[in-house]
Every structure is written in structure tokens, then in C-alpha cells.
């Protein structure tokens, strides 16, 4: 039964799938997917222990001075900016092939109850590593309001 339903779905959307996967809309789909962090240049691992958060972010090709970090309101914000790069050209200056990008990438991570004064960061071999120690006692952010 499930296979029969799937076959009906494929028959119904088969032509549309061709348009989106191989047709005129395929580049549009690739453009949107390349802008998402999952397919972009900020692949991330986050580990949590009782004491801290450990974050590793792949940022290959960035200079350390072009990576900016901010922690506020339980959010870690990471921004990297690459203004240009040297390209490989032929003898006439024509670019043969390029997949590298320049511009700005950024991403935010919700990591609550961090001791902002003790955050450490290191950038080595294209990997940004952060340790965000947790507060000994979480902040009292209770916003309950009694109704009269």
C-alpha cells in the first residue's frame, strides 16, 4: 500500500521534480541551499557538560582579525568577513573556475547561563574553538508577573 501511494505521488509530481531538479529552477534551488548554514561555511559542533559549552566552528580561509564574537542575552553570535581572495587566472587574466566565496557569514547559538567574563576562544588551522564556562548559579531571569 505504501509503495502504491509513493508511486502515485511520483506520477503526480514527476514532471515538477524534473523542473526543480534538472530544469530551469535547479540553479535557484542551489542558490538558496548554498546560503543556509547547513550547506555554507559554518559547520559547527557543540558539546555541553555540567561545567561548560565547547563549540568548534569550521571557518577555513578567514583571517583571525576578520572573525568577530559577541555573547549577550544567552546568545553567542559569530561573524566572519572575507573581503577578497587571490584567484587563479590564465595568462589573459580570465578566471578559469571558482567556487570560493567572499562576503560575510554569521550564525547565532543559544547557550544560556554562561559566565561572560571567562569565555575563551582560539582560532587555529581554520577552526574556531570556544569554551563558554557556565555560571555557578544560573541567573534569575524569572519574569513572572502577578495579576491583581
Amino acid at each position: 500500500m505504501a509503495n502504491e501511494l509513493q508511486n502515485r505521488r511520483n506520477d503526480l509530481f514527476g514532471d515538477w521534480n524534473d523542473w526543480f531538479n534538472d530544469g530551469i529552477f535547479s540553479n535557484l534551488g542551489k542558490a538558496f541551499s548554498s546560503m543556509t548554514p547547513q550547506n555554507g561555511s559554518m559547520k559547527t559542533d557543540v558539546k555541553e557538560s555540567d561545567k561548560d559549552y565547547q563549540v568548534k566552528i569550521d571557518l577555513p580561509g578567514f583571517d583571525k582579525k576578520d572573525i568577530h564574537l559577541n555573547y549577550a542575552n544567552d546568545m553567542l553570535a559569530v561573524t566572519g568577513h572575507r573581503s577578497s581572495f587571490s584567484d587563479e587566472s590564465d595568462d589573459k587574466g580570465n578566471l578559469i573556475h571558482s567556487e570560493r566565496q567572499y562576503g560575510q557569514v554569521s550564525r547565532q547559538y543559544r547557550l544560556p547561563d554562561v559566565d561572560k567574563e571567562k569565555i575563551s576562544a582560539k582560532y587555529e588551522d581554520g577552526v574556531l574553538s570556544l569554551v563558554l564556562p557556565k555560571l555557578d548559579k544560573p541567573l534569575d531571569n524569572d519574569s513572572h508577573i502577578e495579576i491583581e
Side-chain angles (χ1 to χ4, degrees), residues 128-141:
L128 177 64
S129 301
L130 295 107
V131 177
L132 298 96
K134 292 182 179 179
L135 292 167
D136 293 330
K137 179 182 172 191
L139 294 173
D140 183 14
N141 288 329

Side-chain angles (χ1 to χ4, degrees), residues 19-132:
W19 279 79
F20 283 97
N21 294 333
D22 301 321
I24 60 173
F25 295 112
S26 65
N27 288 334
L28 180 64
K30 290 175 188 171
F32 281 122
S33 68
S34 69
M35 290 188 286
T36 62
Q38 293 80 12
N39 295 320
S41 58
M42 293 190 82
K43 307 279 192 215
T44 305
D45 294 333
V46 179
K47 293 182 185 178
E48 180 180 12
S49 71
D50 293 337
K51 300 182 308 180
D52 60 24
Y53 299 99
Q54 297 173 19
V55 180
K56 290 186 184 266
I57 305 168
D58 285 347
L59 289 168
F62 285 86
D63 287 332
K64 182 171 76 171
K65 66 179 177 49
D66 295 328
I67 300 171
H68 304 282
L69 307 172
N70 186 48
Y71 183 84
N73 300 319
D74 291 342
M75 297 293 286
L76 171 66
V78 180
T79 303
H81 181 78
R82 184 177 6 203
S83 57
S84 66
F85 52 83
S86 59
D87 59 7
E88 298 296 324
S89 303
D90 65 7
D91 59 347
K92 296 178 185 174
N94 296 318
L95 183 63
I96 303 300
H97 181 79
S98 178
E99 293 180 352
R100 296 179 300 155
Q101 298 177 353
Y102 60 93
Q104 181 171 302
V105 294
S106 64
R107 193 158 173 198
Q108 293 183 336
Y109 309 85
R110 185 176 186 285
L111 303 169
D113 302 321
V114 168
D115 187 345
K116 293 191 307 186
E117 305 302 319
K118 295 181 181 176
I119 296 174
S120 63
K122 180 173 76 169
Y123 183 65
E124 186 173 59
D125 297 329
V127 178
L128 177 64
S129 301
L130 295 107
V131 177
L132 298 96

